[in-house]
Amino acid sequence: MTAIKHALQRDIFTPNDERLLSIVNVCKAGKKKKNCFLCATVTTERPVQVKVVKVKKSDKGDFYKRQIAWALRDLAVVDAKDAIKENPEFDLHFEKIYKWVASSTAEKNAFISCIWKLNQRYLRKKIDFVNVSSQLLEELPKVAEESVPSGENQSVTGGDEESVDEYQELNAREEQDIEIMMEGCEYAISNAEAFAEKLSRELQVLDGANIQSIMASEKQVNILMKLLDEALKEVDQIELKLSSYEEMLQSVKEQMDQISESNHLIHLSNTNNVKLLSEIEFLVNHMDLAKGHVKALQEGDLASSRGIEACTNAADALLQCMNVALRPGHDMLLAVRQQQQRFGDLREYFARRLANHLNNVFVQQGHDQSSTLAQHSAELTLPNHHPFHRDLLRYAKLMEWLKSTDYGKYEGLTKNYMDYLSRLYEREIKDFFEVAKIKMTGTTKESKKFGLHGSSGKLTGSTSSLNKLSVQSSGNRRSQSSSLLDMGNMSASDLDVADRTKFDKIFEQVLSELEPLCLAEQDFISKFFKLQQHQSMPGTMTEAEDLDGVTPSRQHNPGTPLPVSSERDMIRQMMIKIFRCIEPDLNSLIALGDKIDSFNSLYMLVKMSHHVWTAENVDPASFLSTTLGNVLVTVKRNFDKCISNQIRQMEEVKISKKSKVGILPFVAEFEEFAGLAESIFKNAERRGDLDKAYTKLIRGVFVNVEKVAHESQKTPRDVVMMENFHHIFATLSRLKISCLEAEKKEAKLKYTDHLQSYVIYSLGQPLEKLNHFFEGVEARVAQGIREEEVSYQLAFNKQELRKVIKEYPGKEVKKGLDNLYKKVDKHLCEEENLLQVVWHLMQDEFIRQYKHFEGLIARCYPGSGITMEFTIQDILDYCSSIAQSH
């Protein structure tokens, strides 16, 4: 084993800078025995790394190769299997469990002991040693009880160190010397005792030579001591000369110190002068306002473009002078404090002059716009505020300056602007809506007919889409007096196509005027008052925010600019204040449109939904988006009310007891509603609202058709159900409404069932006595009598059959069919054109009964030659002749 250990150290571990400390010959448990070696190694370089290496003999030769290595820190458990009995098996728990069988128990114990010592010395890691003898682990002196210092130099004591380091490799020089010595003694290997004796003799010779060398060097030592004494005397003389030189240089040093001090003071004075000049230049360059700027701020013309530009430049220069970053100590200079005071007074004066001028401009704008209202009184247009916005935008930079320097005056200007403009827009929008209402209703008298008195109805600012909502639906209304969809106070006959077209155009014009007005004003407010419209985290309105002009700045200290997140809220609050009349006016106009024609709610829902969606995509928290959203709620309520009224009127419908029912009014009007709704809601965003309404309406139609059918006295129930469900099925098939596919199938099923039921019920038994006869025949067969023996029954013999057949000649059959046709014709209505369908089914049913009778005759009376007095062709001719005659 020692030779193998030496070979492994030389061939495998030395090239990798590792030392082999322990080795065990093992094979895997339970398998075909293939021997290998487990080696415990440490690296020769620090930090020391401890490994367990598996080495295997190569299949191609006698050399060994390194197969796999595990770090000792990854070892969790060492299981020796049995702590009492000798057992060569043991397990090592790394990432998985490796089971080994050692060649001997002694090798296994030595290897486990080495692992335990390496763990104690280098890792101090808790490795579980299971089933290991305590004697094996007690070879180290009480390691488990004493605290051993940690670190790379940590070691165990006594013989344990020798056992760990039992092998120490020779260095290159030692190895070379041993080889030379052994070459000189060829018998060193064969005769070790002679070789050791020779080495001993040579060692004694070397010791004698060393002693003689030491004795010969005594004379040389005496000579060296004399030389040292002479050197000391020379050193004393040199020290005396150096002392005299030092005294002479002392006076020179004092003079040089005085010169150096003088030069330092001169340099310090120059440095101070340069710094003082730099500070003065800094103050002069940054805190000096040109006379031209001062004059512009005090006397500049704020009405002309050139004057505004000069004032803007002067204001920027003043702001730069006031915001200059002073260095420490500057604020203690009297001149600096005086200049700052002068700048503050100049800023206050110009801010006051600018605020007064802009207030006058706001007032003048109100007077100028009021004078133009008369020009628009007869036209459905709103005055254009673009010239006013254009003139005011020249002051935008000055407003930004005022916002950053005197927020109190900036806030006052904002409030004054809202006060003046809200009154101006209120007058303009009020007159605008009055004209719109008059044009919608035709005349002032008609306006009073709809309850329009003065300024009772007002619109809200929104988009240009709502007008299409109001009128188009009325174009397809029926003029029936019992119409379910007539929810207003007017019938559809009161409006013609020209009126609806005019209503549509007026509504379109109203909204096309309001939308750009709101957008232009909001854009102007953002630019003029320097407020940001768009923000990634938009603020939300709270109930505490006041609509009478209290802006979000009230939440902050006066004179302190708003944070960016609140500027967006300020724009919305300003728009609410300025256009506070739009939402109620628009709700009033929507109510008027609903009063004129209840179908307007369909158009308004579609268009309003589209424009709310568009506005929310641009800015979900803007004034326009919020206002349209509020109005959309009103429109949705009107739409829901329309559907509820239709269902209620279905439930209240009454039918005449003297005339046939035909197609019920609410069925015809559902067809009209569905057709119109499909054209309106094509590609609409709120298709889901219509689908919900369809579901409610169709359920109401189904329930009330069945209710009317049960109550009908003149028309049979099956006819009412058949005709109306046929009409519903035809409507749904034509319109292809996806959400009503199930109802379409249900309508078809109900139509088919009641059609079959009516045919069977109406046809009944046209050959009644013949039916009774053959029912008796079938009863005898059911009792067990054979079919060919039925003719021997007294009541059902051939004579009785011939007697019954003679009672139904062809003439009587045709007469019965003619009466049946007239009866069906009275029951069915002309709108659905189902008479021929029903008659054809009755013909088929009659022929089926005829074939059934012939079959019974052939089976029960074979060879009798008995036949009916009319044929199937006669039946077809009778039915065709009757249908043509009517």
Side-chain angles (χ1 to χ4, degrees):
M1 183 64 75
T2 305
I4 294 175
K5 186 174 181 182
H6 177 71
L8 292 178
Q9 175 67 49
R10 182 187 64 242
D11 299 337
I12 295 178
F13 298 111
T14 298
N16 292 328
D17 295 330
E18 292 178 306
R19 288 167 52 202
L20 175 59
L21 301 182
S22 181
I23 184 172
V24 58
N25 186 1
V26 297
C27 63
K28 289 189 177 180
K31 292 190 176 181
K32 185 177 181 181
K33 293 188 177 180
K34 291 184 178 180
N35 288 354
C36 59
F37 295 99
L38 291 181
C39 305
T41 68
V42 295
T43 58
T44 58
E45 296 181 356
R46 298 186 183 278
V48 176
Q49 296 183 9
V50 186
K51 298 181 180 178
V52 176
V53 182
K54 178 183 176 185
V55 176
K56 184 179 180 183
K57 194 170 185 179
S58 175
D59 297 333
K60 298 180 180 180
D62 294 334
F63 62 91
Y64 293 92
K65 64 178 181 181
R66 186 186 188 117
Q67 188 172 14
I68 188 171
W70 300 275
L72 189 63
R73 64 174 177 270
D74 296 333
L75 181 60
V77 178
V78 176
D79 187 358
K81 296 298 184 180
D82 196 332
I84 300 174
K85 297 180 181 180
E86 292 187 356
N87 186 351
E89 295 183 3
F90 67 97
D91 296 345
L92 299 181
H93 294 218
F94 288 101
E95 75 279 0
K96 64 179 183 179
I97 300 174
Y98 294 90
K99 298 180 180 292
W100 306 101
V101 178
S103 59
S104 68
T105 306
E107 287 186 17
K108 180 190 83 169
N109 292 339
F111 183 76
I112 292 176
S113 177
C114 182
I115 293 294
W116 187 74
K117 294 171 185 176
L118 290 173
N119 176 55
Q120 293 296 325
R121 178 176 181 182
Y122 294 107
L123 300 182
R124 302 297 296 166
K125 171 179 179 287
K126 184 170 179 57
I127 298 178
D128 292 334
F129 288 84
V130 182
N131 298 320
V132 179
S133 172
S134 59
Q135 296 177 355
L136 190 62
L137 301 181
E138 288 175 356
E139 292 181 6
L140 290 179
K142 301 180 181 179
V143 174
E145 298 178 2
E146 298 178 1
S147 59
V148 181
S150 62
E152 293 184 353
N153 296 326
Q154 174 185 341
S155 64
V156 294
T157 62
D160 293 324
E161 178 67 28
E162 296 176 1
S163 65
V164 173
D165 297 334
E166 62 180 349
Y167 175 81
Q168 184 172 2
E169 186 180 6
L170 298 177
N171 57 37
R173 184 170 180 178
E174 291 173 342
E175 189 174 338
Q176 184 178 2
D177 291 342
I178 291 175
E179 288 178 356
I180 294 171
M181 183 173 58
M182 292 178 72
E183 286 175 0
C185 298
E186 296 179 355
Y187 57 86
I189 303 301
S190 60
N191 192 348
E193 292 181 359
F195 178 62
E197 185 178 352
K198 180 183 177 184
L199 291 179
S200 178
R201 289 196 302 269
E202 290 180 356
L203 181 61
Q204 291 176 1
V205 173
L206 289 176
D207 289 341
N210 287 336
I211 293 172
Q212 291 176 4
S213 176
I214 293 172
M215 294 176 65
S217 63
E218 184 176 357
K219 295 178 181 180
Q220 299 294 333
V221 172
N222 292 332
I223 295 171
L224 180 61
M225 294 299 292
K226 291 179 181 181
L227 292 175
L228 288 175
D229 291 338
E230 293 174 0
L232 289 173
K233 293 178 181 180
E234 293 292 334
V235 169
D236 292 338
Q237 293 177 3
I238 293 173
E239 286 182 352
L240 291 174
K241 290 181 180 181
L242 289 175
S243 298
S244 64
Y245 294 157
E246 185 177 2
E247 291 176 359
M248 289 186 289
L249 291 174
Q250 185 64 34
S251 61
V252 177
K253 179 179 179 297
E254 292 176 358
Q255 293 176 7
M256 293 302 297
D257 288 342
Q258 292 177 0
I259 294 172
S260 177
E261 182 68 21
S262 176
N263 288 338
H264 174 71
L265 293 175
I266 293 171
H267 177 71
L268 182 61
S269 177
N270 290 337
T271 302
N272 289 338
N273 290 334
V274 171
K275 289 184 177 180
L276 179 59
L277 179 61
S278 175
E279 297 294 330
I280 293 174
E281 288 178 348
F282 173 81
L283 293 175
V284 171
N285 292 336
H286 292 86
M287 295 194 66
D288 185 28
L289 188 63
K291 293 182 179 180
H293 289 334
V294 174
K295 184 176 180 181
L297 294 174
Q298 292 176 342
E299 304 174 1
D301 184 10
L302 290 172
S304 65
S305 298
R306 182 175 296 178
I308 293 173
E309 184 179 1
C311 290
T312 302
N313 294 334
D316 290 340
L318 176 62
L319 186 61
Q320 291 178 4
C321 291
M322 297 185 67
N323 291 339
V324 64
L326 295 177
R327 297 169 184 171
H330 284 177
D331 54 352
M332 300 178 64
L333 298 175
L334 178 60
V336 173
R337 292 201 298 269
Q338 289 177 347
Q339 191 74 343
Q340 288 177 333
Q341 181 63 38
R342 178 182 173 222
F343 290 157
D345 295 341
L346 192 58
R347 179 194 64 185
E348 180 65 25
Y349 176 78
F350 180 69
R352 185 167 57 251
R353 196 163 73 91
L354 176 63
N356 292 336
H357 177 78
L358 290 177
N359 278 326
N360 293 334
V361 173
F362 297 159
V363 175
Q364 184 63 34
Q365 164 66 9
H367 293 310
D368 293 343
Q369 289 292 115
S370 298
S371 62
T372 62
L373 288 178
Q375 302 175 7
H376 300 273
S377 59
E379 301 176 4
L380 195 58
T381 57
L382 283 166
N384 188 2
H385 288 247
H386 176 69
F388 174 59
H389 292 165
R390 181 192 59 212
D391 293 341
L392 279 179
L393 284 176
R394 298 181 301 170
Y395 301 95
K397 290 185 178 180
L398 289 175
M399 282 298 294
E400 184 177 12
W401 175 86
L402 189 64
K403 180 181 178 182
S404 62
T405 58
D406 193 339
Y407 194 79
K409 288 186 173 58
Y410 168 84
E411 194 175 26
L413 277 176
T414 303
K415 188 175 185 307
N416 291 340
Y417 179 83
M418 289 189 294
D419 291 340
Y420 291 130
L421 267 294
S422 62
R423 291 195 292 268
L424 174 62
Y425 276 120
E426 188 170 3
R427 293 196 302 271
E428 293 177 354
I429 293 172
K430 174 184 175 183
D431 295 341
F432 175 71
F433 275 100
E434 288 298 324
V435 174
K437 291 175 182 178
I438 291 174
K439 288 183 177 292
M440 282 183 181
T441 55
T443 62
T444 305
K445 291 182 179 179
E446 291 181 3
S447 301
K448 293 180 179 179
K449 176 181 178 182
F450 291 101
L452 305 178
H453 303 290
S455 59
S456 60
K458 298 183 185 291
L459 281 174
T460 49
S462 56
T463 68
S464 61
S465 60
L466 282 176
N467 59 319
K468 294 183 181 179
L469 297 172
S470 62
V471 183
Q472 294 176 0
S473 63
S474 61
N476 296 326
R477 300 290 305 277
R478 293 181 181 240
S479 60
Q480 297 173 355
S481 60
S482 62
S483 173
L484 289 172
L485 301 177
D486 184 14
M487 302 186 325
N489 296 328
M490 302 171 58
S491 65
S493 60
D494 294 330
L495 290 174
D496 54 17
V497 176
D499 291 335
R500 299 183 188 112
T501 303
K502 181 180 71 171
F503 187 93
D504 183 25
K505 291 181 179 179
I506 293 171
F507 213 105
E508 172 69 29
Q509 182 67 20
V510 166
L511 296 167
S512 63
E513 290 287 325
L514 285 174
E515 179 182 12
L517 182 72
C518 294
L519 295 177
E521 185 61 34
Q522 180 167 317
D523 185 61
F524 168 75
I525 288 174
S526 173
K527 292 178 179 178
F528 181 70
F529 291 99
K530 294 298 177 182
L531 301 172
Q532 294 188 13
Q533 292 193 61
H534 304 289
Q535 184 71 14
S536 59
M537 295 292 291
T540 55
M541 266 196 308
T542 62
E543 296 180 359
E545 290 175 335
D546 188 5
L547 298 184
D548 293 330
V550 177
T551 65
S553 62
R554 302 292 186 183
Q555 307 294 332
H556 299 80
N557 294 329
T560 303
L562 286 172
V564 176
S565 59
S566 297
E567 291 185 354
R568 197 165 176 275
D569 293 336
M570 185 173 179
I571 293 178
R572 188 172 64 251
Q573 289 299 313
M574 291 178 69
M575 291 292 292
I576 292 174
K577 169 69 176 178
I578 293 171
F579 292 108
R580 57 190 175 189
C581 61
I582 287 184
E583 185 172 334
D585 281 350
L586 186 53
N587 284 331
S588 176
L589 194 65
I590 290 171
L592 174 63
D594 192 57
K595 215 170 201 181
I596 292 174
D597 191 332
S598 60
F599 273 174
N600 286 342
S601 60
L602 277 72
Y603 290 90
M604 288 188 283
L605 180 62
V606 172
K607 299 301 180 181
M608 182 65 75
S609 300
H610 172 71
H611 284 273
V612 167
W613 177 80
T614 303
E616 287 182 347
N617 282 343
V618 175
D619 187 357
S622 66
F623 165 77
L624 189 62
S625 176
T626 304
T627 302
L628 291 181
N630 294 339
V631 175
L632 177 60
V633 173
T634 302
V635 173
K636 180 61 169 61
R637 287 173 182 167
N638 289 346
F639 176 76
D640 294 339
K641 180 181 176 184
C642 172
I643 302 302
S644 300
N645 286 344
Q646 292 181 49
I647 296 174
R648 189 185 71 251
Q649 293 185 26
M650 290 180 194
E651 297 169 351
E652 296 174 353
V653 69
K654 301 295 182 182
I655 59 173
S656 173
K657 295 181 180 180
K658 297 182 180 180
S659 60
K660 59 184 175 182
V661 176
I663 302 302
L664 293 170
F666 56 80
V667 173
E669 291 180 357
F670 173 78
E671 176 188 12
E672 178 187 359
F673 172 84
L676 181 60
E678 285 301 304
S679 64
I680 296 173
F681 278 80
K682 187 177 182 180
N683 301 324
E685 283 81 7
R686 294 183 71 97
R687 175 76 195 193
D689 293 328
L690 179 62
D691 291 344
K692 292 177 183 178
Y694 274 148
T695 304
K696 293 180 181 179
L697 285 174
I698 199 68
R699 286 292 104 199
V701 170
F702 279 20
V703 170
N704 286 286
V705 166
E706 295 184 4
K707 174 187 172 186
V708 172
H710 281 291
E711 296 175 352
S712 173
Q713 298 179 2
K714 182 73 175 178
T715 305
R717 174 180 178 273
D718 286 329
V719 173
V720 176
M721 298 286 285
M722 171 185 67
E723 290 181 330
N724 284 279
F725 279 107
H726 176 266
H727 192 85
I728 294 170
F729 171 71
T731 299
L732 296 180
S733 299
R734 175 172 54 84
L735 295 178
K736 299 178 180 179
I737 303 172
S738 58
C739 68
L740 296 181
E741 281 298 316
E743 285 75 8
K744 182 180 75 172
K745 295 178 181 178
E746 183 180 353
K748 182 179 181 181
L749 181 63
K750 288 180 179 291
Y751 155 67
T752 305
D753 291 345
H754 289 285
L755 172 61
Q756 190 67 29
S757 175
Y758 176 68
V759 167
I760 294 173
Y761 171 78
S762 298
L763 180 63
Q765 298 178 347
L767 309 176
E768 185 176 0
K769 292 182 180 180
L770 199 58
N771 266 296
H772 289 317
F773 181 86
F774 282 113
E775 285 175 358
V777 171
E778 290 175 339
R780 294 294 187 278
V781 173
Q783 292 172 2
I785 299 175
R786 296 171 60 186
E787 290 182 340
E788 58 269 18
E789 295 178 357
V790 171
S791 60
Y792 298 108
Q793 299 289 319
L794 182 62
F796 302 102
N797 57 27
K798 298 176 182 178
Q799 289 78 9
E800 291 295 325
L801 176 59
R802 289 191 181 97
K803 187 187 301 183
V804 174
I805 289 175
K806 285 183 179 180
E807 293 186 16
Y808 295 101
K811 182 178 180 181
E812 289 297 323
V813 171
K814 182 178 181 181
K815 182 179 178 181
L817 290 174
D818 187 64
N819 291 333
L820 179 62
Y821 187 91
K822 292 178 182 178
K823 176 183 177 183
V824 172
D825 189 26
K826 289 181 181 179
H827 288 164
L828 300 180
C829 66
E830 296 179 0
E831 293 93 325
E832 284 304 291
N833 196 23
L834 292 176
L835 179 59
Q836 295 305 318
V837 175
V838 174
W839 185 244
H840 182 72
L841 289 177
M842 286 185 170
Q843 171 186 297
D844 293 345
E845 178 63 22
F846 190 31
I847 291 174
R848 186 193 66 77
Q849 293 184 16
Y850 179 88
K851 290 179 179 180
H852 179 63
F853 295 155
E854 279 193 334
L856 287 174
I857 292 173
R859 294 193 304 274
C860 299
Y861 303 92
S864 64
I866 301 174
T867 60
M868 305 287 285
E869 294 191 0
F870 56 92
T871 65
I872 292 178
Q873 185 60 44
D874 293 334
I875 295 174
L876 294 174
D877 292 341
Y878 298 158
C879 291
S880 176
S881 174
I882 293 170
Q884 291 177 3
S885 65
H886 290 279

